[in-house]
Amino acid sequence: MSTLEIKGLHVEIEGKEILKGVDLTINTNEIHAVMGPNGTGKSTLASAIMGHPKYEVTAGTVTLDGEDVLEMEVDERAKAGLFLAMQYPSEISGVTNADFLRSAINSQREEGDEVSLMKFIRELDSKMETLEMDQEMAQRYLNEGFSGGEKKRNEILQLMMLKPKFAILDEIDSGLDIDALKVVSKGVNEMRGENFGCLIITHYQRLLNYITPDKVHVMMQGRVVKSGGPELAQKLEAQGYDWIKEELGIEDETVGQEA
Amino acid sequence: MTVETKLALTGEDVRSYSESNREPEWLASKRSEAYQLAETLQLPKPDKTKIQNWNFTEFPVHAVKDEPLTGLAELPQDARALIDIENQKNIYVQRNNTPAYLKLSDELKEQGVILTDIFTAAREHPELVQKYFMKDAVKVDEHKLTALHAAFMNGGVFVYVPKGVEVKEPVQVLFLHEGEEVSLFNHAIIVADTNSSLTYVENYLSLSKDSKGLVNIISEVVAEDGAKITYGAVDVLAEGFTSYINRRGLAGRDATIEWALGLMNDCDTIYENVTHLVGDGSVGHSKSVLVGRGTQKQNVTAKTVHWGKGAEGFILQHGVMKEEASTIFNGIGKIEHGASKSDAVQESRVLMLSEKARGDANPILLIDEDDVTAGHAASVGRVDPLQLYYLMSRGISRTEAERLIVHGFLAPVVSQLPIEGVKKQLSEVIERKVR
C-alpha cells in the first residue's frame, strides 16, 4: 500500500494565499472526492501537489510514502507515481499524441528498457477503444484543436497508459455530456484497485454517480471543512452547500474570507 | 560618381569561363553585361540587417574541378543518407562545381521531362533556358548580388516538365560542398509547364567544416497555368561561407507553388523567398524553419505578391534562436491593385533559447485593393513554462520536454518534405543544432 499525505498545506499564487492549511491522507485502493463551490481552493490543491510553476507552497508538507514531494521537480513527482489530469491541458504543436505518450512512458523506464513499439501500439489501441476515441487521435498533435471533451478523454488516456499510483482528476467532468462522462468514468473505474488511489476534484455530484468515492471532503476558504462517506456527496447534491456553511458559521465560502 | 567595387574576377575571366562551358552567345553576353552591372550596383538592403560589411565579392577560387561519380554508392555517408539509392529514380548530384551524377527514368525522358545541369541545359535546350533564365522571376539588374550571380554562375540545375505531364516521384538534387576553397554560384531553373506537376527536393550540404568561399544561389521556379510545384529544400552549409540564397516563384492562372524550406546553414545568410501570384486563382504557400546558433547573423524574407484575382498566399516562418545568434524574419503579404478576392495570411514565430540571442518577427501587409482578406500573427518568446509543466507532469525531463517542444515548433517543414531521407536528415540537423 502507498500513501499520499498532505499536512497543513499553505499555498500562494502571486502573493495571495489560497490554501490555508489543508490536511488530507489518501491510500492506494481508495478514491476520494474533493467537492466545494467555485473559488474555494480545490484546483489550487491539485496544481500545488503536481508542482505548477505559478503556485508557491509557503507551509506544510506533501509526502508520498514518506518521501518529500515538494522537494521534487515536476517530472520527479510523476516518476514517483503522481498524475494530474488537468483542467486546461496545454496544446503542443508538432508533437503527436502517440510520440508524446511514448516519451512519457519511456521516461519512467530505464534506458535500454524502452517499451517496444508493437506493445505500445497494442496497448494504446485498446485504451483508446475503452475511451471510445478515434484512432486518428493518436497521430494528431497533442491537444491541438481538440474539443473540450477530447481533451478530457485524452487526459484519461494518459492516466491509463502511465498507470500512476495516485491520480488527481481536476474537474474532469466539466463540460462533458452524459455519454462522455460515462466513458471517462469507465476509464477511471478500470484503474481502480490495490495499486491505485485517486483524488477527484469536482463541483458536482453527478460524476460520483459513476465513480463511487470511498471518502468525500468539502473545501471552503482554502481548507477541508468537512469529510465523510459517499452519503455526504448525496446530501450535497440534494441540499447544496448552505447547511455546511450554516453549521460552520461561514458566510462567504470563497478564499480570502474568514469564518 | 559611382563607387566601383573591385571584383575577384576580371571580365576576361568571366568570358573565358563562359567559353570553357561552350555557352551560347546570349548567355555569354548576358554575363558580360552582368559583370559590368556588378561593379556599380548597390547591395540589397534587407530590413534591419546591415550587410555593407559582409563579404559578397571576395572568394578564393571561381570553380574547382572534381571527378564525376560512377555511382551513388561512392558518395560519403552523410550524402548517401539523403538518398534511397535503390529506389530514387530521378536524381542529380553536383560536387562542388562539377556535375557529378545524373539519373532520369526512361519514362520521364519519353514524356519529355528534362533534368540536367545548367550548362548542359544551356547548350542542349537553349530556347527554354533563354526563356526563363533571369528574365521574369529574378532580374540581373536588381542589385549587386543578382548581377554577381549572373556573371559568376558556376553550377546549377535545370528541370522542365512539359505540358500535362505529372511527375509522380520526386526529383532529388544534391549540391555538395567539400573543401574550403569552394564557392557556389548555383542557378536552378524549375519549370512546370501548363497543367503539369512536379515535386522537387534539393539539399545543400557541406561535407567539410571549413570554408572561405561565397554562396550566391538563385532558384527561379515557374508554375505555368494550372501547374503545381512542390519545392522542398534543406540547406546545411558550413560556418565560413557568406550566403545569399534567393528562391523565387512565379505562379500562373490556377497554379500552385508550395515551398518547404529547412534553413539550417551555419553561416551568415540572407534568405529571400518571394512568390509572385501572377495568375487568377494562383496559390503560394511558403513554409520555412530556421535554427540560428553561435554568432550567426541571418535575415529571412518570405513574401507573396498578389497580382491575380483570388490569389491565395500563406507564409509560415518558425525560427529557433540560441547562443548569440541573430535573425530578422520579414513576412510580407503584398496585394496589388486589381487582385480582388485575394487572401494573404502569415505567421512568424521565434523561439528564444538564450538571453543573448536576437530574433525579430516583422509581419508586413501592403494592400492596394479593397476587396481582400489578410491576416498576420507574430510572436517572439521563450519556451512556454506551462507547456513545459504539462510535459514534465508526465515524467518527461525538462531537457526532453524542451526538445519535444522545439521539434514540434519546427515540424511544419519537416512533415512536408516528401523524401524520407531528407526528412530524417532535417530532423537530425535540428537535433544537432538545438542540443
Side-chain angles (χ1 to χ4, degrees), chain A residues 107-154:
Chain A
S107 72
Q108 316 225 354
R109 300 166 71 110
E110 295 297 317
E111 218 178 307
D113 183 35
E114 285 87 0
V115 63
S116 86
L117 188 57
M118 283 312 293
K119 194 175 167 224
F120 169 77
I121 291 171
R122 266 203 310 275
E123 194 172 356
L124 186 63
D125 283 351
S126 109
K127 305 292 190 209
M128 288 180 82
E129 210 177 304
T130 303
L131 295 170
E132 297 174 21
M133 290 170 76
D134 198 332
Q135 299 291 336
E136 58 95 37
M137 297 274 293
Q139 291 312 318
R140 282 172 63 184
Y141 291 154
L142 180 53
N143 292 323
E144 193 180 65
F146 284 26
S147 70
E150 283 173 336
K151 283 183 183 166
K152 302 287 181 176
R153 281 178 211 228
N154 205 40

Side-chain angles (χ1 to χ4, degrees), chain B residues 96 118 169 171 181 202 242 269-270 292 328 346 385-386 421:
Chain B
N96 294 324
I118 193 80
E169 293 178 58
V171 169
E181 304 281 283
E202 71 182 6
T242 304
T269 304
I270 301 299
I328 311 293
Q346 45 179 306
L386 290 182

Side-chain angles (χ1 to χ4, degrees), chain A residues 75 84 91 93 107 155 158, chain B residues 387 390 392 394-396 404 408:
Chain A
D75 57 322
L84 171 61
E91 299 186 3
S93 190
S107 72
E155 292 293 287
Q158 294 170 41
Chain B
Q387 287 189 335
Y390 185 64
M392 288 174 73
R394 301 318 187 220
I396 296 169
L404 281 173

Side-chain angles (χ1 to χ4, degrees), chain B residues 76-108:
Chain B
Q77 178 52 36
D78 284 352
R80 222 164 48 207
L82 296 166
I83 311 164
D84 181 348
I85 290 183
E86 278 171 23
N87 298 309
Q88 184 61 46
K89 290 182 184 154
N90 313 302
I91 182 166
Y92 170 67
V93 181
Q94 180 179 313
R95 291 177 77 186
N96 294 324
N97 312 116
T98 304
Y101 187 84
L102 177 67
K103 188 166 79 172
L104 180 65
S105 73
D106 290 339
E107 191 195 340
L108 292 185

Side-chain angles (χ1 to χ4, degrees), chain B residues 333-352:
Chain B
K334 181 158 185 4
I335 302 182
E336 301 290 344
H337 182 65
S340 54
K341 310 282 181 206
S342 269
D343 185 26
V345 174
Q346 45 179 306
E347 181 198 320
S348 305
R349 302 200 184 279
V350 187
L351 195 56
M352 310 292 287

